[in-house]
């Protein structure tokens, strides 16, 4: 199971927060998912799919985090523009930021073998 999380951790984190966004949309307010909440679910789902699909590159190990962060910013922007921020919508903003931070913290390894973990330091130059 650990190897599975090491490979798909970022996608799993993004998916968990997308599910949390859907749960928020269903349980907040009147219990009916309104158009603003459908937009939030769509953005969170697009983030999860984007994090899964975008590969890590050797020089750009942050690509999955960039996708999640960009879409988290879009989520906050959409929340603010589509009706303003009400008291219960702060939770949606926190969930969006949590999705980006969760993706940043989780490990991942792309099919090309590139991992999100920090590269080992190069060997020290010989003294002399």
């Amino acid at each position: 199971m650990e190897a599975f999380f090491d490979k798909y951790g970022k996608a799993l984190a993004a998916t968990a927060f997308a599910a949390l966004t859907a749960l928020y949309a269903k349980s907040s307010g009147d219990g009916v998912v309104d158009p603003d909440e459908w937009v939030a679910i769509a953005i969170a789902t697009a983030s999860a799919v984007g994090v899964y699909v975008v590969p890590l590159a050797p020089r750009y190990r942050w690509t999955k985090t960039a996708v999640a962060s960009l879409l988290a910013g879009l989520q906050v922007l959409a929340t603010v523009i589509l009706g303003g921020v009400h008291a219960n919508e702060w939770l949606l903003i926190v969930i969006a930021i949590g999705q980006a931070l969760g993706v940043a913290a989780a490990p991942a390894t792309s099919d090309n073998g590139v991992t999100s973990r920090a590269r080992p330091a190069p060997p020290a130059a010989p003294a002399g």
Side-chain angles (χ1 to χ4, degrees):
M1 184 64 176
E2 186 175 320
F4 184 79
F5 186 73
D6 284 344
K7 182 167 179 145
Y8 298 110
K10 290 186 182 298
L12 292 171
T15 302
F17 277 97
L20 191 58
T21 300
L23 180 65
Y24 159 83
K26 179 65 179 152
S27 62
S28 70
D30 58 2
V32 176
V33 181
D34 62 23
D36 295 357
E37 292 166 335
W38 278 116
V39 170
I41 293 169
I43 292 171
T45 302
S47 181
V49 170
V51 167
Y52 176 75
V53 171
V54 171
L56 296 169
R59 292 188 58 185
Y60 307 108
R61 297 171 184 270
W62 43 262
T63 54
K64 291 179 183 287
T65 301
V67 167
S69 298
L70 178 67
L71 287 165
L74 182 61
Q75 182 77 276
V76 171
L77 187 62
T79 302
V80 170
I81 291 173
L82 295 175
V85 180
H86 301 96
N88 65 336
E89 289 173 329
W90 282 107
L91 182 57
L92 180 60
I93 290 172
V94 168
I95 293 169
I97 293 169
Q99 186 174 28
L101 293 175
V103 169
T109 303
S110 289
D111 288 338
N112 61 7
V114 177
T115 182
S116 63
R117 295 206 167 112
R119 294 183 218 178

